[in-house]
Amino acid sequence: MRRIGMIDRIVVIGGGISGLSSAFYLQREAERQGKRVRLTIVDGAPDLGGKINTLQRDGFVIERGPDSFLARKLPILELAKDLGIEHELTAQNENGKTSYIMRDGKLHPMPKGMVLGIPTNLDTFMQTTLLSEEGKRRSLQDLEMASAAPEGDESLGDFLSRRIGPEIVKHISEPLLAGIYAGDLSKLSIQATFPQFAEAEREHGGLIRGTQSQQQNKAPHQAPDYLPEELRNSVFLSFKQGLSTMVRALDQALQSAERRMGDAVAAIKPLGDDADAKYEVVLESGEVLLADQVLVTVQAFNAADLLEPLVDVTELRAINYVSVANVVMAFEKSTFDKTFDGSGFLVPRSEGLRITACTWTSNKWLHTSPDDKVLLRCYVGRAGDEEVAMLPDEELKKAVLEDIQKVLGIDAVPIFTQITRMPRSMPQYPVGHLDNTARFRKRLSEELPGVHVTGAAFGGVGLPDCIRSGKEAALEILATL
């Protein structure tokens, strides 16, 4: 048994946003509750931040990982306030919000009134050039069809095809929704990705009518009082000096936490009841950390490797990951010979390009580029088409530039190109994911008390989702101390 009065030792495995958020709230809430904890953050990478990685170069602010977050998701705004960096937030350009989708080699504006690809303004929807007249009529059959919701979960692709038809799925839903996960709609769980769609059918008999009702009855987005006025109407937010602002602030706030960077965890070993700690966390260097609580925030396949000797990890192995890459290109505006009134465009699989989407970054985020330059960020790689993301640098640069020139009709040469590869970075939530992960967590708590899991593999891939799940894990751990 442990001696009375000792400090609880908590090892957080993973220094990405999930791990850092967990550690921050563990530290803060332990202080508030008068509990004594010693935190150690372990990561095989040399630096904190995980996928968040802002590059400052020649007056550009370049995000090599995520580039923004949804303003309506409060956990990230609350964390910014807790860190004292809410004044560093910045809004999307008011004149750069229109998005486009490619069809038959041409860019078409997203119809007004689309909510996550679901038409709610039927007048503007019937005017879109993205779909054939037959495709539009098929989508509107959703208004007359009886509900046929199955028991339990189903794939996002099956649901959407059943309700609004295959054409809108192919040309709007797939590039828009699958783009968030770089996934295959036919394999993604609707309950784990867009449960509001299933709720719309269940409560209103159809997807369009249900989405319209959800929009009409949705409480207006109440921006927190601490958010500056100029930011309150922006759908997306970022930081003036990039998302790494948040990592630096967390790093500073966690100065009292011990770090083991560049030294991955090799094993977690349970200790006997008479030991001074519950677990040993063995690092690849050979160092052993004693732990009373262990929080695993790494990707599901890494977590499975660590936990498989101790507990059944079937549910973790069911979470596949897709490899992607970001290719950022900077141009002289004087040679670019192209203006753009939107934030970027999406590319369906059917178009046959290597890029899956392109953000006109310097138009969407005015802080990211000098006024006389243009900054584009292209996305490469998705489920079933990952090889292109792993092409050698020169081949990848050439492929992306060819696609950009083809879509935009330009012949400008980039000032520079910045490539960021993220192998096995995008978790794919399979059908049944929520039940699977709940079952795994229950088993973990029963068989390895004091070991916890959280992160993008469990509660959402967006930054606010990771922060929320990190805070929830912190509170859960503190409740057991």
Side-chain angles (χ1 to χ4, degrees):
M1 296 178 61
R2 295 183 60 239
R3 296 188 301 274
I4 295 174
M6 288 185 65
I7 295 174
D8 284 285
R9 292 154 295 192
I10 305 173
V11 174
V12 177
I13 302 175
I17 191 61
S18 298
L20 291 175
S21 302
S22 302
F24 174 76
Y25 285 111
L26 277 166
Q27 174 180 274
R28 192 186 74 162
E29 295 305 314
E31 290 174 359
R32 288 183 175 181
Q33 297 176 25
K35 296 179 178 179
R36 302 173 67 200
V37 300
R38 178 183 297 159
L39 290 170
T40 304
I41 301 169
V42 184
D43 199 305
D47 302 305
L48 295 173
K51 297 184 184 71
I52 298 175
N53 186 346
T54 306
L55 172 68
Q56 308 276 350
R57 174 175 178 176
D58 303 331
F60 293 93
V61 178
I62 298 170
E63 298 290 4
R64 304 184 69 181
D67 72 342
S68 60
F69 55 89
L70 281 169
R72 63 178 173 81
K73 293 197 171 185
L74 296 183
I76 192 167
L77 297 180
E78 292 167 352
L79 177 60
K81 182 177 184 296
D82 291 338
L83 293 169
I85 56 173
E86 68 272 23
H87 62 284
E88 293 289 333
L89 290 164
T90 187
Q92 182 181 351
N93 177 19
E94 277 290 329
N95 298 320
K97 293 185 175 181
T98 302
S99 58
Y100 291 80
I101 300 180
M102 191 175 186
R103 178 162 188 183
D104 299 330
K106 297 180 180 179
L107 296 181
H108 304 254
M110 181 77 79
K112 300 291 184 183
M114 299 291 275
V115 177
L116 291 171
I118 310 304
T120 61
N121 183 325
L122 304 188
D123 291 335
T124 57
F125 176 68
M126 292 305 294
Q127 296 170 17
T128 184
T129 53
L130 266 170
L131 302 174
S132 68
E133 294 303 309
E134 181 181 351
K136 286 182 274 191
R137 285 193 297 271
R138 169 61 186 87
S139 295
L140 296 187
Q141 286 178 14
D142 171 76
L143 295 167
E144 309 298 331
M145 293 165 53
S147 173
E151 291 294 327
D153 202 0
E154 68 178 312
S155 81
L156 184 58
D158 287 348
F159 172 88
L160 292 172
S161 294
R162 174 167 61 78
R163 293 306 317 181
I164 55 177
E167 186 176 336
I168 190 173
V169 171
K170 178 179 178 180
H171 295 289
I172 296 180
S173 304
E174 186 275 330
L176 179 63
L177 303 182
I180 297 171
Y181 295 90
D184 179 345
L185 293 188
S186 69
K187 297 179 180 178
L188 290 175
S189 158
I190 189 170
Q191 293 296 341
T193 55
F194 299 96
Q196 65 269 39
F197 292 168
E199 181 183 341
E201 179 184 34
R202 187 171 59 253
E203 295 189 359
H204 301 275
L207 179 57
I208 294 175
R209 188 176 291 108
T211 304
Q212 289 172 330
S213 178
Q214 288 172 350
Q215 292 300 110
Q216 291 167 1
N217 298 323
K218 185 172 67 174
H221 171 56
Q222 296 294 325
D225 293 340
Y226 53 80
L227 202 63
E229 186 66 35
E230 64 271 18
L231 307 184
R232 295 189 176 187
N233 294 320
S234 183
V235 175
F236 294 96
L237 294 174
S238 188
F239 290 90
K240 297 171 187 174
Q241 296 302 314
L243 291 172
S244 287
T245 299
M246 189 164 49
V247 176
R248 290 191 294 270
L250 284 164
D251 184 15
Q252 183 63 35
L254 289 165
Q255 282 301 301
S256 62
E258 297 180 6
R259 320 289 176 85
R260 297 293 188 276
M261 303 304 297
D263 197 357
V265 175
I268 301 170
K269 296 183 178 180
L271 299 176
D273 292 340
D274 58 346
D276 186 46
K278 290 182 179 178
Y279 296 95
E280 286 183 346
V281 178
V282 183
L283 307 187
E284 288 184 345
S285 64
E287 183 180 1
V288 176
L289 305 174
L290 294 179
D292 303 298
Q293 304 279 333
V294 179
L295 177 58
V296 181
T297 72
V298 295
Q299 293 154 311
F301 54 88
N302 290 137
D305 290 342
L306 290 175
L307 298 173
E308 196 162 34
L310 308 172
V311 66
D312 180 5
V313 295
T314 301
E315 295 86 356
L316 297 185
R317 295 293 186 198
I319 305 171
N320 294 319
Y321 280 74
V322 169
S323 300
V324 296
N326 298 325
V327 181
V328 174
M329 293 184 169
F331 299 86
E332 294 285 355
K333 186 176 287 187
S334 60
T335 66
F336 202 69
D337 193 31
K338 186 78 176 181
T339 58
F340 195 64
D341 65 349
S343 59
F345 59 87
L346 303 167
V347 182
R349 294 173 185 266
S350 56
E351 292 297 316
L353 298 187
R354 278 69 60 94
I355 62 174
T356 63
C358 175
T359 299
W360 198 294
T361 305
S362 51
N363 197 42
K364 184 177 181 180
W365 302 103
L366 297 179
H367 69 283
T368 62
S369 172
D371 291 341
D372 60 344
K373 304 291 190 296
V374 171
L375 191 67
L376 302 182
R377 169 171 150 138
C378 299
Y379 301 80
V380 177
R382 53 185 153 198
D385 186 21
E386 301 176 60
E387 294 80 6
V388 65
M390 298 298 122
L391 287 173
D393 282 3
E394 292 306 314
E395 289 185 39
L396 184 55
K397 290 179 186 179
K398 183 174 182 290
V400 170
L401 184 58
E402 286 176 353
D403 282 357
I404 288 297
Q405 291 173 334
K406 180 178 180 179
V407 176
L408 298 178
I410 62 167
D411 57 9
V413 177
I415 307 168
F416 66 81
T417 300
Q418 186 74 46
I419 295 174
T420 304
R421 290 183 179 79
M422 292 185 284
R424 298 184 74 186
S425 60
M426 301 296 291
Q428 308 294 294
Y429 301 152
V431 174
H433 177 75
L434 297 184
D435 289 341
N436 292 346
T437 52
R439 183 168 56 250
F440 174 74
R441 281 177 153 156
K442 183 175 186 295
R443 184 188 312 127
L444 187 67
S445 68
E446 292 171 349
E447 300 183 19
L448 292 176
V451 177
H452 313 261
V453 290
T454 195
F458 299 91
V461 298
L463 296 178
D465 301 311
C466 291
I467 292 166
R468 173 188 48 76
S469 61
K471 184 175 183 179
E472 289 172 353
L475 297 177
E476 177 185 334
I477 290 171
L478 288 171
T480 68
L481 299 186

Coordinates of all heavy atoms in Angstrom, one line a residue, residues 182-210:
A182 N -10.4 12.9 -44.2 CA -9.6 12.3 -45.3 C -10.1 10.8 -45.5 O -9.3 9.9 -45.8 CB -8.1 12.3 -45.0
G183 N -11.4 10.6 -45.3 CA -11.9 9.3 -45.2 C -12.8 8.8 -46.3 O -13.0 9.5 -47.3
D184 N -13.3 7.6 -46.2 CA -14.2 7.0 -47.1 C -15.6 7.0 -46.4 O -15.8 6.3 -45.4 CB -13.8 5.6 -47.4 CG -14.7 4.8 -48.4 OD1 -15.8 5.3 -48.6 OD2 -14.2 3.7 -48.8
L185 N -16.6 7.7 -47.0 CA -17.9 7.9 -46.4 C -18.5 6.5 -46.2 O -19.3 6.4 -45.2 CB -18.8 8.7 -47.2 CG -18.4 10.2 -47.4 CD1 -19.6 10.9 -48.1 CD2 -18.2 10.9 -46.0
S186 N -18.2 5.6 -47.0 CA -18.9 4.3 -46.9 C -18.4 3.5 -45.7 O -19.0 2.4 -45.3 CB -18.7 3.4 -48.1 OG -17.3 3.0 -48.3
K187 N -17.4 4.0 -45.0 CA -16.8 3.2 -43.9 C -16.8 4.0 -42.6 O -16.6 3.5 -41.5 CB -15.3 2.8 -44.2 CG -15.2 1.9 -45.3 CD -13.8 1.5 -45.6 CE -13.7 0.5 -46.8 NZ -12.3 0.2 -47.1
L188 N -17.2 5.3 -42.7 CA -17.2 6.2 -41.5 C -18.5 6.0 -40.7 O -19.6 6.1 -41.3 CB -16.9 7.6 -41.8 CG -15.6 8.0 -42.3 CD1 -15.6 9.5 -42.8 CD2 -14.5 7.8 -41.2
S189 N -18.4 6.0 -39.4 CA -19.6 5.9 -38.5 C -20.3 7.2 -38.5 O -19.7 8.3 -38.3 CB -19.2 5.6 -37.1 OG -20.1 6.0 -36.2
I190 N -21.6 7.2 -38.8 CA -22.4 8.4 -38.7 C -22.5 8.9 -37.3 O -22.5 10.1 -37.0 CB -23.8 8.3 -39.4 CG1 -24.5 9.6 -39.5 CG2 -24.7 7.3 -38.6 CD1 -25.7 9.6 -40.3
Q191 N -22.7 8.0 -36.3 CA -22.8 8.4 -34.9 C -21.5 9.0 -34.4 O -21.6 9.9 -33.5 CB -23.2 7.2 -34.1 CG -24.6 6.7 -34.4 CD -25.7 7.7 -34.0 OE1 -25.5 8.6 -33.3 NE2 -26.9 7.5 -34.6
A192 N -20.4 8.7 -34.9 CA -19.1 9.2 -34.4 C -18.7 10.4 -35.2 O -17.8 11.1 -34.7 CB -18.0 8.1 -34.5
T193 N -19.3 10.7 -36.3 CA -18.9 11.9 -37.1 C -20.0 13.0 -37.1 O -19.7 14.1 -36.8 CB -18.5 11.4 -38.5 OG1 -19.6 10.7 -39.1 CG2 -17.3 10.5 -38.5
F194 N -21.2 12.6 -37.6 CA -22.2 13.6 -37.8 C -23.5 13.1 -37.2 O -24.5 12.8 -38.0 CB -22.4 14.0 -39.2 CG -21.1 14.7 -39.8 CD1 -20.2 13.9 -40.5 CD2 -20.9 16.0 -39.6 CE1 -19.1 14.5 -41.0 CE2 -19.7 16.6 -40.1 CZ -18.8 15.8 -40.8
P195 N -23.6 12.9 -35.9 CA -24.8 12.3 -35.3 C -26.1 13.1 -35.5 O -27.2 12.6 -35.4 CB -24.4 12.2 -33.8 CG -23.4 13.2 -33.6 CD -22.6 13.2 -34.9
Q196 N -25.9 14.4 -35.8 CA -27.0 15.3 -36.0 C -27.8 14.9 -37.2 O -29.0 15.2 -37.3 CB -26.6 16.8 -36.0 CG -25.7 17.2 -37.2 CD -24.3 17.1 -36.9 OE1 -23.8 16.1 -36.2 NE2 -23.5 18.0 -37.4
F197 N -27.2 14.3 -38.2 CA -27.9 13.8 -39.4 C -28.9 12.7 -39.0 O -30.0 12.7 -39.4 CB -26.9 13.3 -40.4 CG -26.0 14.3 -41.1 CD1 -24.9 13.9 -41.8 CD2 -26.3 15.7 -40.9 CE1 -24.1 14.9 -42.4 CE2 -25.5 16.6 -41.5 CZ -24.4 16.2 -42.2
A198 N -28.4 11.7 -38.2 CA -29.3 10.6 -37.8 C -30.4 11.2 -36.9 O -31.5 10.7 -37.0 CB -28.4 9.6 -37.1
E199 N -30.1 12.1 -36.1 CA -31.1 12.7 -35.2 C -32.1 13.4 -36.0 O -33.3 13.4 -35.7 CB -30.4 13.7 -34.2 CG -31.4 14.4 -33.3 CD -30.7 15.4 -32.4 OE1 -29.4 15.3 -32.3 OE2 -31.4 16.2 -31.8
A200 N -31.7 14.1 -37.1 CA -32.7 14.8 -38.0 C -33.7 13.8 -38.6 O -34.9 14.1 -38.6 CB -32.0 15.5 -39.1
E201 N -33.2 12.7 -39.1 CA -34.1 11.7 -39.6 C -35.0 11.1 -38.5 O -36.2 10.9 -38.7 CB -33.4 10.6 -40.3 CG -34.3 9.5 -40.9 CD -33.6 8.3 -41.5 OE1 -32.5 8.0 -41.0 OE2 -34.0 7.8 -42.5
R202 N -34.4 10.8 -37.4 CA -35.2 10.1 -36.3 C -36.3 11.0 -35.8 O -37.4 10.6 -35.5 CB -34.2 9.7 -35.2 CG -34.8 8.9 -34.1 CD -33.7 8.3 -33.2 NE -33.0 9.4 -32.6 CZ -31.7 9.7 -32.9 NH1 -31.1 9.0 -33.8 NH2 -31.0 10.6 -32.3
E203 N -36.0 12.3 -35.6 CA -37.0 13.2 -35.0 C -37.9 13.9 -36.0 O -39.0 14.3 -35.6 CB -36.2 14.2 -34.2 CG -35.4 13.6 -33.0 CD -34.9 14.7 -32.1 OE1 -35.1 15.9 -32.3 OE2 -34.3 14.3 -31.1
H204 N -37.5 14.0 -37.2 CA -38.3 14.8 -38.2 C -38.7 14.0 -39.4 O -39.3 14.5 -40.3 CB -37.6 16.1 -38.6 CG -37.3 17.0 -37.4 ND1 -38.2 17.9 -36.9 CD2 -36.2 17.1 -36.6 CE1 -37.7 18.5 -35.9 NE2 -36.5 18.1 -35.7
G205 N -38.3 12.7 -39.5 CA -38.6 11.9 -40.6 C -37.8 12.0 -41.8 O -37.9 11.2 -42.8
G206 N -37.0 13.0 -41.9 CA -36.1 13.2 -43.1 C -34.9 14.1 -42.8 O -35.0 14.9 -41.8
L207 N -33.9 14.1 -43.6 CA -32.7 14.8 -43.3 C -32.8 16.3 -43.6 O -32.4 17.1 -42.8 CB -31.6 14.2 -44.2 CG -30.2 14.9 -44.1 CD1 -29.7 14.9 -42.7 CD2 -29.2 14.2 -45.0
I208 N -33.4 16.7 -44.8 CA -33.5 18.1 -45.1 C -34.5 18.8 -44.1 O -34.1 19.8 -43.6 CB -34.1 18.2 -46.5 CG1 -33.0 17.7 -47.5 CG2 -34.4 19.7 -46.8 CD1 -33.5 17.7 -49.0
R209 N -35.6 18.2 -43.9 CA -36.6 18.9 -43.0 C -36.0 18.9 -41.6 O -36.1 19.9 -40.9 CB -37.9 18.1 -43.0 CG -39.0 18.8 -42.2 CD -40.3 18.0 -42.3 NE -40.9 18.1 -43.7 CZ -40.9 17.1 -44.5 NH1 -40.4 15.9 -44.2 NH2 -41.4 17.3 -45.7
G210 N -35.3 17.9 -41.2 CA -34.7 17.9 -39.8 C -33.6 18.9 -39.7 O -33.5 19.5 -38.7

